[in-house]
């Protein structure tokens, strides 16, 4: 079941190899932030660690950066063990959630800092700083103090500062969370562009599933110190390995039922055909709201339901349906130009699922 | 209805009390400054404006000696106590909180808690035995004593600055290839500077006007400016003392202004 073991991962060059890493914070009681985590991040990929707060995603990032040592396990960068290297010896840079720009330095001095610490010649530092300022479109503000520029501009400076030493890996700790919605959308595209232009491996931490789906080459979904699933956005969204992943990524419907041969009898009594992979007994099914279709009540194979509510969302309308045993299902219907969807509350309708849309996510 | 909130400024008599407090604070100092420009020899009867007491005070060799001695002691004590206070502040803020933490704060701030006269007597006895053993009679005792009691004055502003500092800045420096020493040199120290300067100035001024400990610790002939003035006043009150006091006041005001301008530019 686990997509971790796809064969093509081994055929590509690995940038960061996290090998059975655990992190336990001392204290009473001790907290297991990471529990035997293994993941291989490929070179030049936009890799996202996604999960709710407290799932261990930031801890994993801090371990890769070297701000915390792992309790057990090892971290390799390009095949070299870096588990015990201090952060200043790792060719990895970080964009911090609060940016952490040096307030006593100008924009240009912030960007130059890493290069200066590496002992680069003055001319090279100057050229790279100019190049970075251009890359993030901040040339006009190079002599400003970091306290005199806006949040979005600080974000760009933080990016330029982390990219300037041309690290092998760039870590981004929820860098967009402090920005407003429009700016965040802009920066998402900007980040993707920068990753393509620089060819640097990006490891991006977020709790925003939409952000993860939009930007990532691959996503690792985390919860309670474990990685639950690793895969491309489409696979994570359409083939969640368990209930948590299905629920955390996007909106979804859950149906409980019992396996009977090649189909599942759900609690309302309807039979739904799904690939069971040899499962028996009680199972949980999931289906995305946009894969639920309404149809005439008497259509062949339709489930009978009643519309309990219609909620308008602009581009689409969420249609809440109740099966005869009370099971709730949400269908996402595209709004008509009038803003209506052509159904009314209380109406009896038939519903069916798009072929292949229903997934088994365990018991 | 936010204006219903309790406001001290609206209580009856607030203005009267406030004005009286300011008068009590500044009238005596104002008179002292005023009479330093008196043409006559009295500190109470005004006989016209004159600057004569300033050159007279400076012409007094004892005043000059005491001033130079005071400045040497205050500068040394400020430098030593600020260095120690900076290390103490780094040591107490850059570690996990431990049960003994409060005890350490109390011990560092000991001079603020223990009555000065107790410290003075203790130092007198302690230094006396060292004097007997080594025969050394120099300024070292005064500098050591002043450094010790100036530490909390330097420590408090530095610690306040450190506690307000964002620790991710140091993490960011390390992430950008700075060694621990480079991080301290390029990030921690520059950001700490306003606190260090404030601490050093407080220590300098505290040392400059100390009387009690200086009286007990000094050897014969080691008058500081305050102990000299005290000795003068005991004999006869002269306008010379007013002139010296005015100059000390001026020095303090200048230092505070410089500090204010420096920190305003920093932030």
């Amino acid at each position: 079941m686990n997509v971790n073991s796809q064969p093509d991962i081994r055929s590509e060059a690995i940038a960061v190899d996290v090998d059975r890493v655990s992190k336990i914070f001392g204290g009473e009681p001790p907290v297991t932030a990471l529990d035997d985590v293994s993941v291989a991040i490929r070179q030049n990929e936009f890799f996202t660690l996604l999960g709710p707060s407290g799932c261990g995603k930031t801890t994993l990032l801090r371990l890769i950066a070297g701000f915390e040592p792992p309790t057990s396990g090892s971290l390799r960068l390009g095949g070299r063990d870096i588990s015990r290297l201090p952060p200043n010896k790792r060719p990895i840079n970080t964009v911090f959630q609060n940016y952490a720009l040096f307030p006593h330095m100008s924009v240009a001095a912030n960007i130059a800092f890493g290069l200066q610490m590496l002992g680069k010649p003055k001319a090279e530092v100057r050229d790279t700083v100019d190049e970075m300022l251009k890359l993030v479109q901040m040339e006009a503000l190079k002599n400003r103090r970091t306290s005199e520029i806006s949040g979005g501009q600080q974000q760009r400076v933080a990016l330029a500062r982390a990219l300037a030493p041309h690290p092998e890996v760039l870590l981004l700790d929820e860098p967009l969370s402090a920005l407003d919605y429009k700016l965040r959308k802009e920066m998402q595209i900007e980040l993707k562009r920068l990753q393509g232009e620089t060819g640097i491996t990006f490891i991006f931490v977020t709790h925003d599933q939409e952000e993860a789906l939009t930007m990532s080459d691959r996503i690792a979904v985390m919860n309670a110190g474990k990685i639950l699933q690793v895969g491309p956005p489409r696979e994570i969204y359409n083939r969640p390995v368990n209930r948590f992943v299905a629920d955390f990524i996007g909106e979804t419907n859950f149906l409980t039922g019992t396996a009977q041969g090649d189909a599942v009898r759900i609690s309302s009594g309807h039979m739904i055909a799904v690939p069971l992979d040899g499962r028996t007994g009680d199972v949980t099914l999931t289906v995305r709201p946009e894969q639920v279709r309404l149809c005439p009540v008497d259509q062949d194979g339709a489930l009978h339901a009643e519309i309990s509510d219609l909620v308008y969302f602009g581009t689409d309308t969420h249609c809440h349906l109740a099966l005869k045993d009370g099971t709730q299902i949400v269908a996402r219907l595209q709004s008509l130009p009038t803003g209506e969807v052509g159904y009314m509350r209380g109406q009896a309708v038939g519903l069916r699922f798009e072929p292949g849309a229903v997934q088994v996510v365990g018991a | 209805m936010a204006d219903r909130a309790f406001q001290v400024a609206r209580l009856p008599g607030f203005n009267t009390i406030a004005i009286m407090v300011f008068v009590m604070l500044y009238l005596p100092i104002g008179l002292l400054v005023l009479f330093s420009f008196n043409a006559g020899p009295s500190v109470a009867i005004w006989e016209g404006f004159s600057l004569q007491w300033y050159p007279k005070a400076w012409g007094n060799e004892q005043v000059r000696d005491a001033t130079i001695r005071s400045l040497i002691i205050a500068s040394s004590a400020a430098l030593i106590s600020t260095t120690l206070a900076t290390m103490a502040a780094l040591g107490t803020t850059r570690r996990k909180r431990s049960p003994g933490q409060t005890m350490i704060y109390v011990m560092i701030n000991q001079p603020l808690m223990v009555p000065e006269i107790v410290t003075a007597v203790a130092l007198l006895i302690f230094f006396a035995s060292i004097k007997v053993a080594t025969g050394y009679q120099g300024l070292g005792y005064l500098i050591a004593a002043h450094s010790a009691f100036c530490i909390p004055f330097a420590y408090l502003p530095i610690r306040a600055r450190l506690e307000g500092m964002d620790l991710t800045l140091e993490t960011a420096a390390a992430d950008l290839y700075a060694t621990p020493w480079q991080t301290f040199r390029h990030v921690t120290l520059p950001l700490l500077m306003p606190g260090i300067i404030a601490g050093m100035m407080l220590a300098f001024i505290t040392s400059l006007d100390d009387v009690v400990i200086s009286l007990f610790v000094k050897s014969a002939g080691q008058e500081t400016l305050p102990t000299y003035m005290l000795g003068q006043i005991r004999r006869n009150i002269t306008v010379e003392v007013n002139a010296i006091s005015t100059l000390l006041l001026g020095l303090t005001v200048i230092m505070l202004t410089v500090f204010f301008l420096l920190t305003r530019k920093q932030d």
Side-chain angles (χ1 to χ4, degrees):
Chain A
M1 264 295 116
N2 202 329
V3 269
N4 254 332
S5 49
Q6 273 188 354
D8 64 308
I9 288 177
R10 263 172 242 115
S11 65
E12 291 195 33
I14 302 298
V16 179
D17 192 10
V18 178
D19 190 11
R20 305 205 59 183
V21 165
S22 291
K23 178 69 186 176
I24 298 161
F25 288 107
E28 281 305 322
V31 177
T32 305
L34 289 174
D35 185 6
D36 199 18
V37 166
S38 294
V39 62
I41 296 154
R42 297 171 199 155
Q43 263 171 26
N44 195 15
E45 92 174 320
F46 198 118
F47 191 87
T48 298
L49 298 170
L50 174 67
S53 59
C55 72
K57 56 192 193 300
T58 296
T59 303
L60 181 53
L61 203 74
R62 291 177 63 82
L63 254 58
I64 296 171
F67 306 149
E68 310 266 0
T71 307
S72 66
S74 68
L75 292 156
R76 281 187 294 277
L77 178 71
R80 187 168 61 114
D81 192 331
I82 57 162
S83 313
R84 302 289 150 193
L85 280 184
N88 55 307
K89 299 259 168 63
R90 303 188 187 193
I92 297 174
N93 291 142
T94 309
V95 177
F96 294 85
Q97 187 169 12
N98 66 354
Y99 314 141
L101 297 176
F102 304 126
H104 58 298
M105 296 181 194
S106 68
V107 165
N110 264 280
I111 299 174
F113 190 85
L115 297 159
Q116 283 165 345
M117 293 302 116
L118 285 170
K120 299 282 186 210
K122 273 205 171 78
E124 188 188 327
V125 173
R126 202 179 47 234
D127 292 347
T128 313
V129 169
D130 285 343
E131 188 189 318
M132 287 299 138
L133 284 165
K134 204 168 168 182
L135 190 70
V136 297
Q137 295 147 28
M138 288 287 294
E139 295 116 304
L141 301 174
K142 64 186 267 190
N143 294 320
R144 290 279 191 92
R145 273 175 177 272
T146 54
S147 54
E148 297 167 348
I149 58 177
S150 72
Q153 290 164 340
Q154 290 182 12
Q155 167 74 79
R156 286 162 189 275
V157 176
L159 256 171
R161 183 179 72 173
L163 284 169
H166 208 89
E168 288 176 34
V169 177
L170 186 76
L171 308 177
L172 302 107
D173 185 7
E174 307 215 20
L176 308 182
S177 59
L179 304 179
D180 63 48
Y181 182 79
K182 277 203 104 157
L183 204 52
R184 198 156 71 228
K185 291 278 152 205
E186 264 174 56
M187 283 308 294
Q188 285 176 8
I189 295 164
E190 182 89 4
L191 276 179
K192 197 70 187 146
R193 173 181 75 86
L194 284 173
Q195 199 257 330
E197 279 178 27
T198 55
I200 293 172
T201 307
F202 277 34
I203 303 178
F204 186 84
V205 159
T206 185
H207 63 267
D208 182 334
Q209 41 101 5
E210 189 188 305
E211 207 164 87
L213 292 173
T214 322
M215 301 165 75
S216 319
D217 293 321
R218 284 195 306 154
I219 299 171
V221 184
M222 294 184 70
N223 189 38
K226 283 185 179 297
I227 291 183
L228 305 177
Q229 185 172 4
V230 181
R234 282 182 180 78
E235 188 175 294
I236 297 274
Y237 186 78
N238 294 314
R239 300 278 178 271
V241 292
N242 62 24
R243 190 178 172 126
F244 179 86
V245 177
D247 199 24
F248 191 75
I249 313 285
E251 289 168 48
T252 199
N253 296 298
F254 290 111
L255 302 166
T256 52
T258 318
Q260 289 185 359
D262 284 343
V264 173
R265 178 179 295 280
I266 61 170
S267 51
S268 65
H270 296 101
M271 291 295 288
I272 295 172
V274 300
L276 274 164
D277 292 327
R279 281 172 205 257
T280 54
D282 291 341
V283 293
T284 300
L285 304 179
T286 175
V287 59
R288 300 282 177 194
E290 66 273 19
Q291 307 296 345
V292 181
R293 300 278 179 265
L294 298 192
C295 59
V297 190
D298 51 6
Q299 189 176 315
D300 208 24
L303 278 64
H304 294 202
E306 191 186 294
I307 297 176
S308 54
D309 210 352
L310 288 164
V311 184
Y312 180 62
F313 272 83
T315 52
D316 46 35
T317 299
H318 289 192
C319 179
H320 292 253
L321 300 148
L323 299 183
K324 57 191 171 200
D325 71 323
T327 303
Q328 291 283 326
I329 292 182
V330 177
R332 187 179 286 182
L333 309 176
Q334 200 154 26
S335 305
L336 299 172
T338 57
E340 301 296 326
V341 284
Y343 292 97
M344 290 181 317
R345 191 175 299 161
Q347 190 178 345
V349 291
L351 68 85
R352 59 182 183 81
F353 306 119
E354 282 295 304
V358 182
Q359 297 288 315
V360 182
V361 289
Chain B
M1 290 293 141
D3 56 356
R4 285 265 188 89
F6 178 71
Q7 286 188 344
V8 176
R10 295 241 178 115
L11 292 181
F14 176 84
N15 289 332
T16 322
I17 293 172
I19 290 166
M20 272 178 60
V21 168
F22 280 114
V23 168
M24 292 293 288
L25 277 175
Y26 288 102
L27 184 67
I29 296 173
L31 286 175
L32 175 134
V33 173
L34 179 72
F35 277 94
S36 75
F37 300 112
N38 195 357
S42 166
V43 294
I45 304 156
W46 182 253
E47 293 177 34
F49 179 84
S50 157
L51 286 172
Q52 62 159 324
W53 294 105
Y54 288 86
K56 254 188 199 155
W58 189 240
N60 184 336
E61 205 172 313
Q62 281 174 301
V63 174
R64 224 164 16 196
D65 277 357
T67 307
I68 291 167
R69 197 172 290 117
S70 268
L71 290 177
I72 291 173
I73 294 168
S75 322
S76 316
L79 215 67
I80 295 168
S81 61
T82 309
T83 309
L84 293 174
T86 306
M87 295 196 283
L90 285 167
T92 48
T93 52
R94 292 301 152 90
R95 61 208 281 276
K96 289 205 176 94
R97 289 208 156 258
S98 59
Q101 195 90 336
T102 319
M103 200 57 216
I104 293 170
Y105 287 151
V106 171
M107 283 172 72
I108 292 170
N109 292 326
Q110 173 266 113
L112 294 178
M113 325 270 180
V114 177
E116 205 181 349
I117 191 78
V118 174
T119 313
V121 173
L123 286 175
L124 172 73
I125 298 165
F126 182 63
F127 286 153
S129 48
I130 298 180
K131 277 182 199 173
V132 169
T134 62
Y136 173 70
Q137 300 279 338
L139 272 185
Y141 299 109
L142 274 171
I143 292 175
H146 280 227
S147 301
F149 76 72
C150 285
I151 285 176
F153 295 96
Y155 172 77
L156 291 175
I158 297 172
R159 189 185 123 200
R161 182 88 191 168
L162 264 176
E163 281 178 344
M165 203 188 282
D166 180 4
L167 277 178
T168 29
L169 293 175
E170 288 168 17
T171 310
D175 187 63
L176 291 160
Y177 313 107
T179 60
W181 171 247
Q182 284 173 318
T183 300
F184 180 72
R185 166 82 186 69
H186 295 292
V187 176
T188 317
L189 201 56
L191 290 171
L192 202 51
M193 242 343 155
I196 292 178
I197 293 172
M200 199 180 281
M201 286 183 175
L202 267 177
F204 183 84
I205 290 168
T206 309
S207 161
L208 201 61
D209 80 359
D210 175 76
V211 177
V212 179
I213 289 178
S214 302
L215 267 181
F216 277 73
V217 170
K218 74 184 176 64
S219 305
Q222 288 182 341
E223 296 293 350
T224 65
L225 209 44
T227 62
Y228 169 77
M229 286 159 74
L230 187 65
Q232 281 300 298
I233 285 169
R234 256 188 248 151
R235 260 167 267 147
N236 61 328
I237 304 174
T238 75
V239 183
E240 222 177 68
V241 173
N242 286 39
I244 299 167
S245 304
T246 305
L247 286 173
L248 278 176
L249 184 68
L251 179 68
T252 314
V253 170
I254 290 169
M255 283 181 71
L256 285 177
T257 312
V258 168
F259 169 70
F260 176 74
L261 292 175
L262 274 178
T263 47
R264 197 181 52 173
K265 213 185 97 197
Q266 274 276 339
D267 299 317

